Amino acid sequence: MAPPPICSLYCHPSARKNPLHLHLVTDAVARMILETLFRTWMVPAVTIRFYDAEELKPLISWIPNKHYSGLYGLMKLVLPSILPLSLARVVVLDTDVTFSSDIAELWALFAHFSDKQVIGLVENQSDWYLGNLWKNHKPWPALGRGFNTGVILLQLDRLRQSGWEQMWKLMAKRELLTLQATSLADQDVFNAVIKEHPELVHPLPCVWNVQLSDHTLAERCYLEAADLKVIHWNSPKKLRVKNKHAEFFRNLHLTFLGYDGKLLRRELFGCPSQLPAEAEQLQQAMAQLDEEEPCFEFRQQQLTVHRVHITFLPHQLPPPQPHDVTLVAQLSMDRLQMLEALCRHWPGPMSLALYLTDAEAQQFLHFVETSPVLSARKDVAYHIVYREGPLYPVNQLRNVALAQALTPYVFLSDIDFLPAYSLYDYLRASIEQLELSSLQRKAALVVPAFETLHYRFSFPNSKAELLTLLDAGSLYTFRYHEWPQGHAPTDYARWREAQAPYRVQWAADYEPYVVVPRDCPRYDPRFVGFGWNKVAHIIELDAQEYELLVLPEAFSIHLPHAPSLDISRFRSSPTYRDCLQAFKEEFHQDLSRRYGAAALKYLTALQPSQSRA
């Protein structure tokens, strides 16, 4: 899902004829989200320039504002001062608008401005500025009903020549002598200026800003108009606003959110445009693949650049703590049911990458909003990686989640594991006791993995309870019956009696779940689908001389589920297993180039994997 204004700008059938230059005023977090979005979505014929909102705040912080938008709601006032002087015209949009038409039609309205008109606005579709909504209601001065600033056409060159900066500042200072604060942010100041200088405004047709506020009179517009152009969700309730026709407009808005975002990668119609450099390189690499090669499907998936939307939902940054740990995992739609249980087991921050279609992203959004457990957690960062291709890009997903972890340490887990209730606190205490931060010790803390074959069982509250379940046959060491070499080096017999962390050595096919510093090596993205994705990462950690330390009181338990499509293909397809073997050998060749003779020890790991029953 692209942010709604962006998607509605691009996805309209007639809207892909003109290149766009976006000027985005953002804070640092929003800039990172948007840079990732535009880089990975590779939309052609779009250029972007960012402006730091923190640098603009001092220019308007002297204006008291009651509006929920805070200082951000005043920043449109300074756009003529901060935008490039070479820019003569600009369309200014709030982020809560939905386009149902081509923005080029809106741009064409500049041609209707008179010589003196410098601002294009739609009339405010409520009685706010008439001052009769309640007793003692005192709005800022406005011409009639005033104008709404959710959609603005600014003739910047003329605006600067007219002395805009001095004009709005004098007006704001004068009105603040009696009104104390703005109620509708920049809109109040724009209207006060227009009240005194009505020649500056060019009224726009109402269809270019259909306002769905709490006291909207927009029905007068859309009942008569044949073609609505822009929907403006200018109530604090946004999509939850209640009015007679809100459901119709919500459905229109949600239609854009459900579109396949790959549509945005289309070239412009009738307008040859340069592809983004990344897209051009990708096309060249894809063209060099041999479709007859047995591993073509794997090679194609490895090259795929997935669209990514980091921090898909509102997220609070964790307070800085020197030993804090973020749980990192990835999942697809069929594992959503694990999230609530995981939140109950892990009270700390999480960074989760979800592999979804655009439509599934909307289902996920609804799932979180309707879950009391998930909606209450603001320290869980969800990152959407949009589905493309037949193989699950497991390590690419892990890398997205890992890159967005904000604590000094990360617990690299899988979504079908539930950690011990006490694990979060125990890991932080262990990091502190082992002095990993102060000694800058390169260590990977191993969390022993277990499994149950029962869909319902009593989760152990301690190591002692776990050992009781283990001895009773209700729990097993993870994959002991089908892939024992994956976790055998953890040495479960020693773990039973251990009172202190102990060191273990790397061995072929070892793939424990570990806690490592956030700047640890990334996962190798060549491993897609099933097989060797974690094994390769542990090899990389060992090659970089990370100690493997098993924690004596830590544990995590795997819950049963139906096998994934990729593991089914691994078990049934010799070609699948042959391709995996080829990638293992390529991986070792890369290790040899980077680590020389030290990589020889990993040759034992290259034995062909046997099918896991």
Side-chain angles (χ1 to χ4, degrees), residues 17-166:
K17 297 178 182 177
N18 300 283
L20 281 179
H21 189 166
L22 302 179
H23 297 263
L24 304 176
V25 179
T26 68
D27 61 16
V29 173
R31 175 168 181 165
M32 180 176 65
I33 294 168
L34 290 166
E35 283 182 334
T36 302
L37 189 148
F38 281 107
R39 184 183 71 252
T40 60
W41 290 53
M42 297 187 294
V43 182
V46 173
T47 53
I48 304 155
R49 180 167 176 175
F50 288 96
Y51 302 81
D52 187 355
E54 291 301 316
E55 295 181 1
L56 305 191
K57 286 181 179 180
L59 303 178
I60 38 84
S61 59
W62 56 274
I63 305 176
N65 180 26
K66 297 177 184 176
H67 194 257
Y68 62 85
S69 59
L71 288 179
Y72 291 91
L74 295 162
M75 289 183 180
K76 282 179 274 187
L77 294 168
V78 301
L79 290 180
S81 304
I82 62 132
L83 291 173
L85 292 175
S86 58
L87 198 62
R89 296 174 176 177
V90 68
V91 174
V92 183
L93 303 173
D94 282 355
T95 55
D96 56 358
V97 299
T98 304
F99 268 75
S100 60
S101 59
D102 187 348
I103 193 173
E105 296 178 32
L106 178 59
W107 186 266
L109 297 180
F110 275 116
H112 300 291
F113 279 39
S114 71
D115 291 342
K116 292 184 178 180
Q117 291 172 336
V118 294
I119 305 171
L121 294 166
V122 171
E123 184 181 51
N124 197 49
Q125 292 165 1
S126 81
D127 287 338
W128 176 272
Y129 286 108
L130 299 183
N132 57 9
L133 291 183
W134 58 81
K135 188 178 180 180
N136 298 324
H137 174 214
K138 293 182 180 179
W140 278 53
L143 196 64
R145 280 203 167 82
F147 294 89
N148 183 277
T149 56
V151 177
I152 315 176
L153 301 188
L154 290 183
Q155 191 81 42
L156 290 174
D157 48 0
R158 296 182 194 167
L159 205 56
R160 291 170 183 136
Q161 292 167 11
S162 68
W164 169 253
E165 185 175 359
Q166 183 181 19

Side-chain angles (χ1 to χ4, degrees), residues 339-590:
L339 289 177
E340 288 188 347
L342 182 59
C343 282
R344 293 188 180 100
H345 278 251
W346 182 269
M350 288 188 269
S351 181
L352 305 176
L354 296 93
Y355 194 50
L356 306 175
T357 65
D358 295 78
E360 287 173 344
Q362 290 310 298
Q363 296 171 35
F364 164 69
L365 179 62
H366 180 71
F367 180 75
V368 173
E369 289 176 341
T370 55
S371 165
V373 175
L374 300 182
S375 60
R377 290 290 296 270
K378 302 305 180 187
D379 56 353
V380 180
Y382 300 103
H383 317 291
I384 307 298
V385 178
Y386 288 93
R387 202 166 76 196
E388 186 170 354
L391 295 163
Y392 190 72
V394 57
N395 278 356
Q396 295 181 42
L397 294 170
R398 286 180 172 134
N399 286 340
V400 168
L402 179 53
Q404 299 309 316
L406 301 174
T407 56
Y409 294 89
V410 289
F411 173 33
L412 305 177
S413 186
D414 275 339
I415 199 64
D416 42 13
F417 277 83
L418 289 182
Y421 287 110
S422 60
L423 187 60
Y424 175 58
D425 289 335
Y426 176 62
L427 291 178
R428 293 186 297 165
S430 298
I431 291 166
E432 184 173 11
Q433 290 165 9
L434 291 166
E435 298 183 311
L436 298 187
S437 301
S438 57
L439 298 178
Q440 295 187 322
R441 186 177 176 185
K442 292 178 72 174
L445 307 182
V446 175
V447 176
F450 298 84
E451 68 177 336
T452 177
L453 303 182
H454 303 289
Y455 282 90
R456 291 187 177 183
F457 85 112
S458 180
F459 198 94
N461 289 307
S462 65
K463 178 178 179 177
E465 289 186 17
L466 181 139
L467 292 176
T468 299
L469 293 171
L470 195 66
D471 293 339
S474 297
L475 283 180
Y476 305 92
T477 57
F478 186 54
R479 296 293 186 250
Y480 83 99
H481 57 298
E482 60 184 50
W483 190 246
Q485 59 268 52
H487 293 265
T490 297
D491 195 349
Y492 289 96
R494 183 177 178 183
W495 182 81
R496 292 181 68 106
E497 309 297 332
Q499 300 295 316
Y502 58 92
R503 187 171 182 177
V504 296
Q505 299 300 316
W506 173 86
D509 294 317
Y510 193 28
E511 51 178 2
Y513 294 95
V514 295
V515 177
V516 288
R518 180 179 62 187
D519 61 356
C520 68
R522 279 359 187 199
Y523 288 88
D524 193 311
R526 86 185 78 205
F527 295 103
V528 296
F530 177 80
W532 243 60
N533 43 73
K534 290 195 301 293
V535 172
H537 190 244
I538 297 300
I539 289 176
E540 189 73 45
L541 292 176
D542 187 70
Q544 294 194 19
E545 300 180 336
Y546 278 73
E547 293 179 82
L548 294 167
L549 295 174
V550 181
L551 296 176
E553 298 295 327
F555 62 87
S556 190
I557 299 176
H558 179 266
L559 300 186
H561 56 75
S564 67
L565 175 61
D566 283 304
I567 194 171
S568 300
R569 292 181 66 186
F570 171 85
R571 289 169 173 170
S572 62
S573 170
T575 300
Y576 195 111
R577 295 194 292 275
D578 290 344
C579 291
L580 177 58
Q581 182 63 28
F583 300 139
K584 288 165 64 174
E585 292 169 2
E586 291 175 10
F587 172 75
H588 188 266
Q589 290 168 11
D590 288 344

Side-chain angles (χ1 to χ4, degrees), residues 179 225 232 309 341 363 465 533 593:
L179 292 168
H232 186 190
H309 188 160
Q363 296 171 35
E465 289 186 17
N533 43 73
R593 280 190 284 270

